[in-house]
Amino acid sequence: MSAVIPIFDVEYDHPEPAANACDTRHAWARVPVEPLPHERAELKERIKRLLKERNAVMVSHYYVHPDLQDLAEETGGIVSDSLEMARFGRDHPATTLVVSGVRFMGETSKILSPEKRVLMPDLDATCSLDLGCPADEFSAFCDQHPDRTVVVYANTSAAVKARSDWLVTSSCALDIARALKDKGHKLLWAPDKHLGSYIQRETGADMVFWNGACIVHDEFKAFELVELKKQHPKAKVLVHPESPADVIALADAVGSTSGILRAAKELDAHEFIVATDNGMMHKLRTLNPGKVFIEAPTAGNSATCKSCAHCPWMAMNGLAGLAHVLETGANEVHVDPALGLRARLPIDRMLAFTAALKAGQPAGSLVPNIGAA
């Protein structure tokens, strides 16, 4: 299989490579060959059988291939954002979790369910935010700001999570940051600068930032979005908060993947321009068959691809890889138990906070008076 899987370079530079960030120019991704129709059907049937035999369940992100999204739901698994992926894997009785996404998602599942086997279609599927926040450099950055509460985004390694006080996802970051601010906390935020800046603008929190960005969301272009809006004047614009500030400023709704899905359902519009990974289009169109969804532009007029918003590492997840790990037990995620225990603390805080919010309880009371880890 590896002989026919092409490998390509993902070119990416941080705006200031020397300032609290590492260079990810040498990142790469493998793209699985698309199976033929008869191969796809055979793979799906084999995976369904193996899931039952292995007492396994699929946990898929919205950004992976539609086949992996549909198959997860058809077999009793879940398609969701990283917060619900974490909850679902922890609470499901299956002894094996098959996580289709990127590596930090598999690590989070293992941290929350150390007794379970966690498999991934490809362990090399990573994330530019994770790559751009090495644990040793991040720890040194934290040491420079000992008076700040360390809040990290889910798109980070287990080691970075272990150095933090709180973990957040894009669906709960505003609520947690606001609660911390109200308790008088000054925040150290990592790694996505766009999401961090959005939170600072919305909450007024005192924040310092790690200099990271998502290679997908960082590429959305406000000037091209303005032109696209002229072509579709009645369209509502849905934007993920990892996008640049000038793109966010054009949004009718800003939200996580789950927030974008909710806005598409609730807003009174027939057309939507969507600024997030185009893996979301499958679920948006499935849930809203009477509506039109247009990809937001990531490039200018001279580009051959006007909207190329898809994570190359999410694209590494495929049916063949999924079948292979279920058959062989390969690509198992391992996290050092001691590191996992420390990393679990900020994750559990986030899950307790969001559970309280969901239940209508005063989640702010769950914010402890902690400083930097």
Side-chain angles (χ1 to χ4, degrees):
M1 183 68 180
S2 59
V4 294
I5 298 178
I7 297 176
F8 63 92
D9 287 329
V10 177
E11 296 293 341
Y12 178 63
D13 279 309
H14 283 282
E16 300 172 34
N20 305 326
C22 78
D23 187 355
T24 56
R25 283 177 297 178
H26 303 296
W28 54 271
R30 288 186 295 263
V31 180
V33 174
E34 192 76 12
L36 297 172
H38 74 278
E39 294 172 329
R40 176 178 280 106
E42 291 171 0
L43 284 168
K44 286 184 175 181
E45 288 308 310
R46 194 192 325 167
I47 290 166
K48 289 177 181 178
R49 172 178 56 81
L50 288 167
L51 286 168
K52 292 180 181 178
E53 291 177 359
R54 304 291 193 266
N55 188 24
V57 67
M58 288 182 65
V59 183
S60 297
H61 194 270
Y62 289 122
Y63 293 168
V64 299
H65 195 288
D67 284 347
L68 298 179
Q69 296 187 45
D70 294 341
L71 192 56
E73 293 183 332
E74 291 168 11
T75 55
I78 192 173
V79 180
S80 65
D81 59 16
S82 58
L83 176 57
E84 290 305 318
M85 288 173 75
R87 281 201 188 104
F88 183 89
R90 178 196 63 183
D91 298 339
H92 197 280
T95 56
T96 295
L97 307 176
V98 188
V99 178
S100 296
V102 291
R103 188 179 178 90
F104 78 81
M105 297 173 181
E107 283 188 341
T108 302
S109 292
K110 186 64 178 178
I111 291 166
L112 288 174
S113 304
E115 76 287 356
K116 297 181 181 181
R117 172 180 283 186
V118 178
L119 307 176
M120 297 191 71
D122 197 321
L123 280 180
D124 289 325
T126 186
C127 168
S128 57
L129 289 169
D130 189 351
L131 287 175
C133 191
D136 54 347
E137 295 178 31
F138 177 67
S139 184
F141 183 58
C142 293
D143 290 342
Q144 296 170 20
H145 303 278
D147 60 329
R148 291 183 176 269
T149 298
V150 180
V151 182
V152 302
Y153 195 29
N155 302 39
T156 47
S157 67
V160 168
K161 290 179 175 69
R163 186 62 178 84
S164 72
D165 299 306
W166 282 84
L167 184 76
V168 298
T169 67
S170 51
S171 62
C172 64
L174 273 176
D175 290 319
I176 289 176
R178 188 173 286 115
L180 287 166
K181 173 186 175 285
D182 290 346
K183 290 274 186 172
H185 291 254
K186 296 189 297 182
L187 308 184
L188 183 153
W189 168 268
D192 191 283
K193 62 181 181 180
H194 294 312
L195 178 57
S197 295
Y198 170 71
I199 291 167
Q200 185 180 51
R201 291 194 301 272
E202 292 293 311
T203 66
D206 184 335
M207 300 171 68
V208 295
F209 305 99
W210 183 263
N211 183 30
C214 167
I215 63 170
V216 175
H217 296 94
D218 194 43
E219 289 302 308
F220 288 114
K221 302 292 191 294
F223 72 96
E224 284 287 335
L225 180 53
V226 169
E227 293 304 311
L228 187 59
K229 281 167 60 70
K230 291 177 183 177
Q231 299 171 33
H232 302 272
K234 294 184 179 180
K236 299 292 186 182
V237 179
L238 311 179
V239 175
H240 193 284
E242 287 178 31
S243 305
D246 55 356
V247 174
I248 290 175
L250 297 170
D252 294 289
V254 181
S256 64
T257 48
S258 56
I260 286 174
L261 285 172
R262 186 165 54 251
K265 178 182 178 182
E266 296 175 355
L267 288 178
D268 183 19
H270 173 67
E271 287 186 315
F272 295 87
I273 299 171
V274 184
T276 193
D277 190 291
N278 63 22
M280 276 287 293
M281 293 299 183
H282 176 64
K283 185 58 67 178
L284 284 165
R285 289 165 179 154
T286 300
L287 295 177
N288 303 277
K291 298 182 179 181
V292 176
F293 294 94
I294 305 160
E295 295 180 33
T298 57
N301 289 322
S302 62
T304 55
C305 174
K306 202 67 175 286
S307 295
C308 314
H310 189 46
C311 173
W313 298 291
M314 287 287 186
M316 291 172 69
N317 293 268
L319 288 173
L322 180 56
H324 175 71
V325 299
L326 280 168
E327 286 175 335
T328 65
N331 291 352
E332 183 173 356
V333 177
H334 296 284
V335 175
D336 177 82
L339 182 68
L341 283 174
R342 180 63 188 86
R344 182 164 183 161
L345 293 174
I347 301 173
D348 280 342
R349 284 178 182 145
M350 172 187 70
L351 293 174
F353 186 97
T354 54
L357 274 185
K358 195 173 183 179
Q361 298 172 356
S365 64
L366 296 172
V367 179
N369 290 316
I370 52 176

